[in-house]
Amino acid sequence: MSKKDNYRPNVAMIIVSSSYPETKEIFIAQRNDLTDIWQFPQGGIDKGEEVKEALFREMEEEIGTADAEIIAEYPEWISYDFPPKIAKKMQPYKGQIQRYFVVKIHDETQINLATKHPEFEAYKFVDAHDVLNHTAHFKKPVYETVLTYFHKEGVL
């Protein structure tokens, strides 16, 4: 079985505030099922769905809006493994293979975490250099890779 078969196709978004690029604050949300775990919004790509279509659908489903514009895209797929407890729930997948985008919300964008199937209980914008202090251990290597890339590219 290939990595693609063992890993759930997923899209993730690094959301920057409407004051970007003057300030480079990044949206993170606190999961409602894990204590003090913050992450970027993300979600599965449905069969036959285009990656960018999934990006805006997931954004709407997770934070109640798709009112944003794409600023940049990470140039390749990147993966991580689930911890054993999560892997049991996510079978047959052992992890996720993701496409990352930096998206900017507009001034008038209204974030609403009270979606049909809420995943988050709180959100905040943090400095780009502070994101890793809030994230789950198993996602840190991927977050560090994509954040470093976007920093070197001058995006963050």
Side-chain angles (χ1 to χ4, degrees), residues 15-127:
I15 302 170
V16 294
S17 71
S18 61
S19 63
Y20 175 90
E22 290 79 24
T23 59
K24 294 182 178 171
E25 297 174 317
I26 296 175
F27 176 99
I28 55 173
Q30 184 177 7
R31 294 190 58 89
N32 62 14
D33 60 346
L34 299 169
T35 305
D36 202 30
I37 298 296
W38 297 76
Q39 69 177 52
F40 300 136
Q42 64 177 45
I45 300 169
D46 295 337
K47 190 173 184 92
E49 188 175 36
E50 295 294 325
V51 174
K52 290 179 183 175
E53 181 183 2
L55 171 78
F56 290 108
R57 177 187 51 77
E58 282 294 337
M59 190 174 180
E60 181 81 35
E61 288 177 6
E62 295 200 353
I63 68 167
T65 185
D67 185 22
E69 63 182 283
I70 296 172
I71 302 297
E73 180 179 356
Y74 189 74
E76 57 192 45
W77 292 91
I78 187 166
S79 65
Y80 68 88
D81 292 341
F82 295 130
K85 186 177 179 180
I86 295 173
K88 272 188 167 181
K89 286 185 353 183
M90 298 300 289
Q91 287 183 348
Y93 302 110
K94 65 185 257 178
Q96 299 201 101
I97 187 161
Q98 301 179 296
R99 289 305 298 237
Y100 271 82
F101 293 86
V102 175
V103 297
K104 177 183 176 180
I105 58 173
H106 302 118
D107 285 334
E108 67 283 351
T109 299
Q110 297 292 314
I111 294 170
N112 177 14
L113 301 182
T115 59
K116 187 175 181 180
H117 301 287
E119 292 189 34
F120 302 118
E121 61 184 42
Y123 73 90
K124 59 186 172 183
F125 285 87
V126 299
D127 183 88

Side-chain angles (χ1 to χ4, degrees), residues 136-153:
H137 70 283
F138 64 95
K139 291 185 181 182
K140 278 187 182 178
V142 168
Y143 280 24
E144 188 169 27
T145 298
V146 296
L147 289 170
T148 298
Y149 169 81
F150 288 127
H151 180 74
K152 286 181 181 174
E153 292 294 308

